[in-house]
Amino acid sequence: QVQLVESGGGSVQAGGSLRLSCVASESIDSSICMGWFRQAPGKEREAVASIRRSGGPSYYADSVKGRFTISPGNAKNAVSLQMNSLKPDDTAMYYCAATTDVWTLCTGQESIYKTWGQGTQVTVSS
């Protein structure tokens, strides 16, 4: 079974930037969706962004539009999330996720994502 491994989390002051990376443990179809979700303490997990490595429209949550950018990572089976202008409200555990069905519309609907990483913590201080 494919495993997703996240990296790049950390602590930063408000207004700062972080870049998260997610790498799959084995070759994956470039037509699936890979995305990022986050969960803050006491809150439900929410979608952040999603992309199809082979191209097509990306999905962004309204709360991160204009600040976050999702892109295919440098590695073949990777996806990255560039986070700029970070706010304390962005503090959360960030999870990488992937669909298994190809050519699914890449949205923030959590149920379409079948493979999940263990998460990487992002903490933004004011």
Side-chain angles (χ1 to χ4, degrees):
Q1 184 176 355
V2 174
Q3 293 183 336
L4 302 176
V5 180
E6 303 98 333
S7 62
S11 297
V12 65
Q13 289 189 329
S17 299
L18 285 173
R19 185 176 182 87
L20 305 183
S21 294
C22 171
V23 180
S25 60
E26 58 188 67
S27 178
I28 56 175
D29 195 308
S30 63
S31 300
I32 66 170
C33 301
M34 293 186 74
W36 291 92
F37 288 73
R38 67 186 182 186
Q39 187 168 22
K43 296 185 178 181
E44 293 187 354
R45 188 160 57 188
E46 62 177 358
V48 175
S50 180
I51 191 172
R52 191 188 325 280
R53 285 184 51 83
S54 58
S58 301
Y59 163 86
Y60 291 96
D62 288 343
S63 58
V64 305
K65 284 180 181 177
R67 300 188 299 121
F68 291 11
T69 303
I70 189 170
S71 61
N74 292 330
K76 185 177 181 179
N77 301 317
V79 65
S80 296
L81 183 69
Q82 178 66 41
M83 305 186 296
N84 298 329
S85 302
L86 283 162
K87 305 174 181 179
D89 284 349
D90 295 317
T91 295
M93 184 70 78
Y94 283 70
Y95 298 92
C96 180
T99 63
T100 52
D101 293 337
V102 298
W103 299 114
T104 300
L105 182 64
C106 297
T107 68
Q109 184 180 346
E110 187 171 327
S111 61
I112 67 174
Y113 297 88
K114 307 301 184 182
T115 305
W116 294 82
Q118 294 298 308
T120 185
Q121 178 67 37
V122 171
T123 302
V124 184
S125 59
S126 58

PDB file of all heavy atoms in Angstrom, residues 28-34 51-55 99-104 106:
ATOM      1  N   ILE A  28       3.029   6.450  -8.369  1.00  0.00           N
ATOM      2  CA  ILE A  28       1.588   6.664  -8.373  1.00  0.00           C
ATOM      3  C   ILE A  28       1.159   7.261  -9.709  1.00  0.00           C
ATOM      4  O   ILE A  28       1.954   7.902 -10.389  1.00  0.00           O
ATOM      5  CB  ILE A  28       1.139   7.593  -7.220  1.00  0.00           C
ATOM      6  CG1 ILE A  28       1.879   8.940  -7.288  1.00  0.00           C
ATOM      7  CG2 ILE A  28       1.347   6.916  -5.886  1.00  0.00           C
ATOM      8  CD1 ILE A  28       1.400   9.937  -6.273  1.00  0.00           C
ATOM      9  N   ASP A  29      -0.070   7.036 -10.070  1.00  0.00           N
ATOM     10  CA  ASP A  29      -0.612   7.547 -11.325  1.00  0.00           C
ATOM     11  C   ASP A  29      -0.704   9.067 -11.246  1.00  0.00           C
ATOM     12  O   ASP A  29      -1.247   9.620 -10.282  1.00  0.00           O
ATOM     13  CB  ASP A  29      -2.002   6.944 -11.562  1.00  0.00           C
ATOM     14  CG  ASP A  29      -2.479   7.139 -12.984  1.00  0.00           C
ATOM     15  OD1 ASP A  29      -2.467   8.278 -13.467  1.00  0.00           O
ATOM     16  OD2 ASP A  29      -2.884   6.129 -13.605  1.00  0.00           O
ATOM     17  N   SER A  30      -0.173   9.722 -12.261  1.00  0.00           N
ATOM     18  CA  SER A  30      -0.186  11.189 -12.247  1.00  0.00           C
ATOM     19  C   SER A  30      -1.584  11.759 -12.447  1.00  0.00           C
ATOM     20  O   SER A  30      -1.782  12.968 -12.345  1.00  0.00           O
ATOM     21  CB  SER A  30       0.747  11.726 -13.337  1.00  0.00           C
ATOM     22  OG  SER A  30       0.299  11.336 -14.620  1.00  0.00           O
ATOM     23  N   SER A  31      -2.559  10.902 -12.719  1.00  0.00           N
ATOM     24  CA  SER A  31      -3.929  11.371 -12.931  1.00  0.00           C
ATOM     25  C   SER A  31      -4.780  11.357 -11.667  1.00  0.00           C
ATOM     26  O   SER A  31      -5.955  11.713 -11.721  1.00  0.00           O
ATOM     27  CB  SER A  31      -4.611  10.514 -14.006  1.00  0.00           C
ATOM     28  OG  SER A  31      -3.918  10.601 -15.227  1.00  0.00           O
ATOM     29  N   ILE A  32      -4.212  10.941 -10.543  1.00  0.00           N
ATOM     30  CA  ILE A  32      -4.967  11.008  -9.299  1.00  0.00           C
ATOM     31  C   ILE A  32      -4.803  12.400  -8.703  1.00  0.00           C
ATOM     32  O   ILE A  32      -3.975  13.185  -9.139  1.00  0.00           O
ATOM     33  CB  ILE A  32      -4.507   9.949  -8.277  1.00  0.00           C
ATOM     34  CG1 ILE A  32      -3.085  10.229  -7.811  1.00  0.00           C
ATOM     35  CG2 ILE A  32      -4.638   8.546  -8.860  1.00  0.00           C
ATOM     36  CD1 ILE A  32      -2.665   9.362  -6.624  1.00  0.00           C
ATOM     37  N   CYS A  33      -5.613  12.713  -7.710  1.00  0.00           N
ATOM     38  CA  CYS A  33      -5.503  13.983  -6.996  1.00  0.00           C
ATOM     39  C   CYS A  33      -4.619  13.793  -5.760  1.00  0.00           C
ATOM     40  O   CYS A  33      -4.731  12.779  -5.072  1.00  0.00           O
ATOM     41  CB  CYS A  33      -6.868  14.469  -6.529  1.00  0.00           C
ATOM     42  SG  CYS A  33      -8.074  14.729  -7.833  1.00  0.00           S
ATOM     43  N   MET A  34      -3.785  14.766  -5.520  1.00  0.00           N
ATOM     44  CA  MET A  34      -3.031  14.823  -4.266  1.00  0.00           C
ATOM     45  C   MET A  34      -3.342  16.159  -3.617  1.00  0.00           C
ATOM     46  O   MET A  34      -3.381  17.185  -4.297  1.00  0.00           O
ATOM     47  CB  MET A  34      -1.530  14.686  -4.512  1.00  0.00           C
ATOM     48  CG  MET A  34      -1.130  13.325  -5.024  1.00  0.00           C
ATOM     49  SD  MET A  34       0.665  13.107  -5.164  1.00  0.00           S
ATOM     50  CE  MET A  34       1.108  12.929  -3.424  1.00  0.00           C
ATOM     51  N   ILE A  51      -4.507  19.073  -6.129  1.00  0.00           N
ATOM     52  CA  ILE A  51      -4.016  19.224  -7.489  1.00  0.00           C
ATOM     53  C   ILE A  51      -3.872  17.859  -8.135  1.00  0.00           C
ATOM     54  O   ILE A  51      -3.684  16.851  -7.457  1.00  0.00           O
ATOM     55  CB  ILE A  51      -2.635  19.942  -7.479  1.00  0.00           C
ATOM     56  CG1 ILE A  51      -2.211  20.357  -8.885  1.00  0.00           C
ATOM     57  CG2 ILE A  51      -1.573  19.039  -6.849  1.00  0.00           C
ATOM     58  CD1 ILE A  51      -0.959  21.236  -8.889  1.00  0.00           C
ATOM     59  N   ARG A  52      -3.969  17.837  -9.465  1.00  0.00           N
ATOM     60  CA  ARG A  52      -3.672  16.634 -10.231  1.00  0.00           C
ATOM     61  C   ARG A  52      -2.301  16.849 -10.857  1.00  0.00           C
ATOM     62  O   ARG A  52      -2.073  17.850 -11.544  1.00  0.00           O
ATOM     63  CB  ARG A  52      -4.716  16.406 -11.330  1.00  0.00           C
ATOM     64  CG  ARG A  52      -4.602  15.036 -11.983  1.00  0.00           C
ATOM     65  CD  ARG A  52      -5.503  14.901 -13.202  1.00  0.00           C
ATOM     66  NE  ARG A  52      -6.752  15.595 -13.101  1.00  0.00           N
ATOM     67  CZ  ARG A  52      -7.804  15.148 -12.442  1.00  0.00           C
ATOM     68  NH1 ARG A  52      -7.743  13.973 -11.842  1.00  0.00           N
ATOM     69  NH2 ARG A  52      -8.918  15.856 -12.394  1.00  0.00           N
ATOM     70  N   ARG A  53      -1.360  15.962 -10.613  1.00  0.00           N
ATOM     71  CA  ARG A  53      -0.002  16.150 -11.082  1.00  0.00           C
ATOM     72  C   ARG A  53       0.061  16.285 -12.600  1.00  0.00           C
ATOM     73  O   ARG A  53       0.923  16.982 -13.123  1.00  0.00           O
ATOM     74  CB  ARG A  53       0.886  14.978 -10.648  1.00  0.00           C
ATOM     75  CG  ARG A  53       1.276  14.996  -9.171  1.00  0.00           C
ATOM     76  CD  ARG A  53       2.238  13.863  -8.853  1.00  0.00           C
ATOM     77  NE  ARG A  53       3.355  13.837  -9.786  1.00  0.00           N
ATOM     78  CZ  ARG A  53       4.428  14.594  -9.659  1.00  0.00           C
ATOM     79  NH1 ARG A  53       4.541  15.437  -8.657  1.00  0.00           N
ATOM     80  NH2 ARG A  53       5.416  14.495 -10.539  1.00  0.00           N
ATOM     81  N   SER A  54      -0.850  15.655 -13.300  1.00  0.00           N
ATOM     82  CA  SER A  54      -0.810  15.712 -14.763  1.00  0.00           C
ATOM     83  C   SER A  54      -1.464  16.967 -15.322  1.00  0.00           C
ATOM     84  O   SER A  54      -1.461  17.175 -16.531  1.00  0.00           O
ATOM     85  CB  SER A  54      -1.489  14.465 -15.352  1.00  0.00           C
ATOM     86  OG  SER A  54      -2.823  14.361 -14.912  1.00  0.00           O
ATOM     87  N   GLY A  55      -2.007  17.808 -14.457  1.00  0.00           N
ATOM     88  CA  GLY A  55      -2.581  19.075 -14.915  1.00  0.00           C
ATOM     89  C   GLY A  55      -4.057  19.188 -14.621  1.00  0.00           C
ATOM     90  O   GLY A  55      -4.686  18.251 -14.174  1.00  0.00           O
ATOM     91  N   THR A  99      -6.129  10.568  -3.786  1.00  0.00           N
ATOM     92  CA  THR A  99      -7.231   9.718  -4.232  1.00  0.00           C
ATOM     93  C   THR A  99      -6.656   8.455  -4.848  1.00  0.00           C
ATOM     94  O   THR A  99      -5.459   8.368  -5.137  1.00  0.00           O
ATOM     95  CB  THR A  99      -8.089  10.441  -5.274  1.00  0.00           C
ATOM     96  OG1 THR A  99      -7.279  10.718  -6.438  1.00  0.00           O
ATOM     97  CG2 THR A  99      -8.642  11.747  -4.724  1.00  0.00           C
ATOM     98  N   THR A 100      -7.478   7.465  -5.066  1.00  0.00           N
ATOM     99  CA  THR A 100      -7.056   6.266  -5.778  1.00  0.00           C
ATOM    100  C   THR A 100      -7.696   6.193  -7.157  1.00  0.00           C
ATOM    101  O   THR A 100      -7.122   5.617  -8.074  1.00  0.00           O
ATOM    102  CB  THR A 100      -7.409   4.997  -4.987  1.00  0.00           C
ATOM    103  OG1 THR A 100      -8.797   5.035  -4.641  1.00  0.00           O
ATOM    104  CG2 THR A 100      -6.586   4.916  -3.707  1.00  0.00           C
ATOM    105  N   ASP A 101      -8.839   6.783  -7.325  1.00  0.00           N
ATOM    106  CA  ASP A 101      -9.494   6.802  -8.626  1.00  0.00           C
ATOM    107  C   ASP A 101      -8.845   7.874  -9.498  1.00  0.00           C
ATOM    108  O   ASP A 101      -8.597   8.994  -9.056  1.00  0.00           O
ATOM    109  CB  ASP A 101     -10.979   7.110  -8.484  1.00  0.00           C
ATOM    110  CG  ASP A 101     -11.736   5.991  -7.783  1.00  0.00           C
ATOM    111  OD1 ASP A 101     -11.233   4.841  -7.812  1.00  0.00           O
ATOM    112  OD2 ASP A 101     -12.798   6.262  -7.220  1.00  0.00           O
ATOM    113  N   VAL A 102      -8.583   7.520 -10.744  1.00  0.00           N
ATOM    114  CA  VAL A 102      -7.976   8.481 -11.650  1.00  0.00           C
ATOM    115  C   VAL A 102      -9.050   9.375 -12.247  1.00  0.00           C
ATOM    116  O   VAL A 102     -10.213   9.013 -12.334  1.00  0.00           O
ATOM    117  CB  VAL A 102      -7.184   7.772 -12.775  1.00  0.00           C
ATOM    118  CG1 VAL A 102      -6.045   6.949 -12.185  1.00  0.00           C
ATOM    119  CG2 VAL A 102      -8.102   6.896 -13.608  1.00  0.00           C
ATOM    120  N   TRP A 103      -8.636  10.567 -12.609  1.00  0.00           N
ATOM    121  CA  TRP A 103      -9.480  11.557 -13.271  1.00  0.00           C
ATOM    122  C   TRP A 103     -10.680  11.984 -12.431  1.00  0.00           C
ATOM    123  O   TRP A 103     -11.658  12.504 -12.951  1.00  0.00           O
ATOM    124  CB  TRP A 103      -9.925  11.086 -14.657  1.00  0.00           C
ATOM    125  CG  TRP A 103      -8.774  10.861 -15.553  1.00  0.00           C
ATOM    126  CD1 TRP A 103      -8.353   9.682 -16.085  1.00  0.00           C
ATOM    127  CD2 TRP A 103      -7.821  11.843 -15.995  1.00  0.00           C
ATOM    128  NE1 TRP A 103      -7.215   9.862 -16.823  1.00  0.00           N
ATOM    129  CE2 TRP A 103      -6.866  11.179 -16.797  1.00  0.00           C
ATOM    130  CE3 TRP A 103      -7.678  13.227 -15.796  1.00  0.00           C
ATOM    131  CZ2 TRP A 103      -5.798  11.834 -17.390  1.00  0.00           C
ATOM    132  CZ3 TRP A 103      -6.614  13.885 -16.394  1.00  0.00           C
ATOM    133  CH2 TRP A 103      -5.691  13.193 -17.183  1.00  0.00           C
ATOM    134  N   THR A 104     -10.591  11.749 -11.117  1.00  0.00           N
ATOM    135  CA  THR A 104     -11.584  12.339 -10.214  1.00  0.00           C
ATOM    136  C   THR A 104     -11.382  13.843 -10.184  1.00  0.00           C
ATOM    137  O   THR A 104     -10.250  14.329 -10.214  1.00  0.00           O
ATOM    138  CB  THR A 104     -11.395  11.765  -8.801  1.00  0.00           C
ATOM    139  OG1 THR A 104     -11.570  10.352  -8.835  1.00  0.00           O
ATOM    140  CG2 THR A 104     -12.376  12.381  -7.824  1.00  0.00           C
ATOM    141  N   CYS A 106     -10.602  17.118  -8.701  1.00  0.00           N
ATOM    142  CA  CYS A 106      -9.842  17.406  -7.482  1.00  0.00           C
ATOM    143  C   CYS A 106     -10.541  18.507  -6.696  1.00  0.00           C
ATOM    144  O   CYS A 106     -10.447  19.694  -7.036  1.00  0.00           O
ATOM    145  CB  CYS A 106      -8.408  17.820  -7.838  1.00  0.00           C
ATOM    146  SG  CYS A 106      -7.464  16.532  -8.667  1.00  0.00           S
TER     147      CYS A 106
END
